[in-house]
Amino acid sequence: MKITIYGPDGCSNCANLKAKTQNVVDEHGFDADVEKEGDTVALAEKGIMSTPGFEIDDEMVFTGSNPPEAELKAYIEERL
């Protein structure tokens, strides 16, 4: 599984979401790679109007929010 967090470099909300997502992956032993994409062209290509964007295996799950770890876990489990 590939999880991508979209947000410009320097976005603390985006960095926080990446850290929380990595924590969920590590804590629950999910087989997933967590990346952060900060390129504004990539954000535009994905149609992200508000950051962060959260994508699992090329499917945009949500944008513009930073949900709690329990919700992130549920999003990941739904796509296992």
Side-chain angles (χ1 to χ4, degrees):
M1 174 181 291
K2 179 181 171 187
I3 301 172
T4 307
I5 311 300
Y6 289 90
D9 294 335
C11 169
S12 61
N13 202 28
C14 304
N16 180 269
L17 179 59
K18 182 185 183 298
K20 286 196 311 187
T21 302
Q22 188 65 61
N23 187 54
V24 168
V25 166
D26 293 345
E27 189 173 297
H28 297 284
F30 294 128
D31 183 17
D33 293 320
V34 181
E35 303 176 347
K36 179 169 174 308
E37 175 61 66
D39 181 32
T40 54
V41 173
L43 274 73
E45 288 175 350
K46 291 288 183 176
I48 299 171
M49 300 303 283
S50 60
T51 58
F54 185 90
E55 181 181 81
I56 297 176
D57 291 334
D58 298 319
E59 177 191 348
M60 192 60 63
V61 178
F62 64 83
T63 63
S65 66
N66 196 338
E69 288 189 10
E71 195 171 328
L72 295 172
K73 179 179 177 272
Y75 286 133
I76 294 168
E77 287 177 331
E78 286 172 8
R79 287 156 179 86
L80 288 177

